[in-house]
Amino acid sequence: MKRFLLILLIFLFPSFMLAQNVSTGGHEQLTIKGFISTTLFGQNQTFGFANGQAAEWAVGPEYTQNRWFYGGDVRNTRMTFVYNGPEVSSSWKLGGVMEFDLFGGFDGAGAFSAEKPIPRLRLAYVDVIHENLKIRIGQAWTPLFGNVPASLSHIAFPLGYGNAGFVGWRFPGVYFYYKFNSNGSSTHFGVDAAVFEGSWSGPGNNVNFLNAGNAGTPQFELRLNLSSKISKAASFKAYVAAHYDKKDLAGVNNSPSVDLTGTAVEFGASLKAGDFLIHGNVYSGKNIGQQFGEITQIQHVNKDLSSVGLWVQLGYNFTKNWGVYGFYGLENVDKAQAKAIFPNPRLTQNLLSFMLRYKTGPFAYGFELLQSKLTYGLTEKTVSGTQIAFSTLYKF
């Protein structure tokens, strides 16, 4: 009987009975962190990029019957490996990050595939650090990726991402971060600069990297940062970022070159005062579909496509555990340009979201309402879609 109970305890509590230290191949310290995310949702319209936790804009035409459908989604779930490396000299130190989530598609298309999402690499970089200078080499977020709206259902695909003022992406490259020493001041300045992989419509195939972005120039970005501690309970942050790239639509080994230049300017700010939060971004760009601009549209002709977008979110924690958040985002694509390029262009997107959240320690749950209104097509049709979601989040 005692042996049976021992075996039962081993099976029921393996993490306690069989726990071991994590070792690495070098002298660095390894921290494993992440979160488990679950969303139960109902929708009355198909959304892009996808339904569930990736829903961003309603896709037309609008459903007219049996509109509501329901599902569960865990693809936000994320695992991050943080390496705190050794000092390689008296003043230089190493570090690194690898990060994965479950948005790599589904294992097949059969009856049980929805419960088998595939892992996806998000970040993979090494940091070389010297006092106020950090050099990051690998796949990381570009400087254009700014403030992130609070949400329990939209984490890997944040609210407004690629459709309502939120732009930026992660690319392999070299990133430079420098913080100016302010000698104990409550106000701090910094600058981020990056040179990273050119991109336009994917690698061409999985191994050759022969798309127009790779045939053009790398992408370049610069960002200036400001942060200030206003009081013990209040802080302010702001930044301005600029982007430049050039795609060669003719491709590799073809002439003459057909250049399509991408540019963008973005401003973001956030103010946190006690239990109150307001933050957002605004951008203006041209030919930056690879950075989720122009409501994530990529043209394959030498014609410019411009857009402007913004989002703002207000949040207030009215008790120690309960808070409410309201979000609004807008993006306008130049209609004349879009209609001259695409047979069914996305023209204007309005996105609204409301969240009621309970949070205690590493655990949170909440209800969210998402409302999208998209104007699209040559005749400027509209489609509206609604998502209602209950989500939980456990960070570890």
Side-chain angles (χ1 to χ4, degrees):
M1 184 63 180
K2 291 183 179 180
R3 178 176 296 180
F4 172 77
L5 290 175
L6 177 61
I7 295 173
L8 181 62
L9 286 172
I10 291 175
F11 277 100
L12 289 177
F13 304 103
S15 60
F16 296 98
M17 302 295 293
L18 304 177
Q20 297 181 7
N21 293 327
V22 177
S23 300
T24 66
H27 298 288
E28 64 276 335
Q29 295 178 339
L30 171 61
T31 300
I32 301 175
K33 63 179 184 178
F35 54 80
I36 299 170
S37 170
T38 300
T39 297
L40 306 176
F41 67 91
Q43 290 179 208
N44 67 355
Q45 190 68 29
T46 292
F47 277 67
F49 298 98
N51 297 319
Q53 293 178 337
E56 293 289 351
W57 68 86
V59 176
E62 194 165 289
Y63 297 160
T64 58
Q65 55 187 350
N66 295 329
R67 294 191 63 180
W68 283 94
F69 57 95
Y70 308 92
D73 202 346
V74 298
R75 289 175 292 171
N76 278 327
T77 296
R78 184 178 302 175
M79 181 77 76
T80 306
F81 300 88
V82 181
Y83 300 89
N84 185 12
E87 292 187 359
V88 293
S89 70
S90 60
S91 58
W92 289 89
K93 186 179 179 180
L94 297 177
V97 166
M98 287 195 304
E99 184 173 88
F100 304 85
D101 66 13
L102 298 175
F103 276 99
F106 293 97
D107 182 15
F112 309 105
S113 60
E115 291 71 48
K116 296 185 292 182
I118 298 172
R120 171 187 70 162
L121 177 68
R122 291 168 52 86
L123 303 172
Y125 58 77
V126 173
D127 283 337
V128 183
I129 304 168
H130 174 69
E131 296 180 349
N132 293 337
L133 173 65
K134 180 187 295 183
I135 303 172
R136 180 165 291 172
I137 306 168
Q139 182 161 301
W141 292 110
T142 73
L144 207 61
F145 190 91
N147 295 327
V148 179
S151 175
L152 292 177
S153 61
H154 285 67
I155 303 175
F157 291 82
L159 295 169
Y161 194 35
N163 73 102
F166 194 153
V167 294
W169 185 231
R170 49 186 183 262
F171 294 94
V174 182
Y175 301 80
F176 303 88
Y177 310 91
Y178 187 81
K179 294 181 179 179
F180 295 95
N181 192 333
S182 55
N183 297 321
S185 171
S186 60
T187 301
H188 300 272
F189 298 92
V191 59
D192 305 342
V195 181
F196 47 93
E197 175 191 44
S199 179
W200 191 228
S201 57
N205 61 46
N206 289 334
V207 294
N208 285 338
F209 293 93
L210 295 178
N211 74 74
N214 299 120
T217 70
Q219 301 183 70
F220 303 90
E221 288 185 6
L222 181 68
R223 171 169 157 172
L224 304 177
N225 304 297
L226 165 70
S227 63
S228 180
K229 188 74 173 178
I230 302 173
S231 67
K232 289 184 178 180
S235 60
F236 174 77
K237 295 182 180 180
Y239 75 89
V240 60
H243 169 95
Y244 174 84
D245 74 80
K246 183 177 289 185
K247 283 81 66 172
D248 184 355
L249 300 182
V252 174
N253 200 35
N254 292 310
S255 63
S257 296
V258 181
D259 293 332
L260 188 67
T261 300
T263 58
V265 177
E266 181 183 63
F267 172 77
S270 66
L271 172 64
K272 182 171 176 53
D275 295 320
F276 177 80
L277 169 69
I278 178 171
H279 61 164
N281 291 350
V282 58
Y283 92 94
S284 175
K286 178 181 71 173
N287 305 326
I288 57 165
Q290 84 281 8
Q291 290 275 0
F292 290 81
E294 290 86 53
I295 315 185
T296 319
Q297 296 177 101
I298 293 177
Q299 69 269 36
H300 296 281
V301 293
N302 189 22
K303 294 182 179 180
D304 288 333
L305 183 62
S306 303
S307 62
V308 294
L310 63 88
W311 66 266
V312 63
Q313 185 180 52
L314 301 176
Y316 178 67
N317 294 320
F318 55 90
T319 73
K320 179 181 177 180
N321 303 111
W322 286 97
V324 291
Y325 293 82
F327 171 95
Y328 173 72
L330 167 69
E331 188 149 344
N332 284 323
V333 179
D334 187 290
K335 292 182 179 180
Q337 292 177 345
K339 290 179 182 181
I341 295 171
F342 303 109
N344 193 33
R346 294 187 285 273
L347 303 173
T348 302
Q349 160 78 339
N350 285 269
L351 192 68
L352 289 167
S353 177
F354 172 82
M355 176 174 69
L356 174 65
R357 185 187 71 179
Y358 177 88
K359 182 178 180 181
T360 177
F363 179 71
Y365 66 84
F367 295 90
E368 291 180 75
L369 173 66
L370 181 71
Q371 177 69 39
S372 164
K373 183 178 180 180
L374 178 75
T375 302
Y376 70 101
L378 300 179
T379 59
E380 300 187 24
K381 296 173 286 187
T382 61
V383 56
S384 296
T386 301
Q387 182 189 76
I388 301 172
F390 170 75
S391 299
T392 65
L393 183 70
Y394 176 72
K395 294 183 178 180
F396 56 86

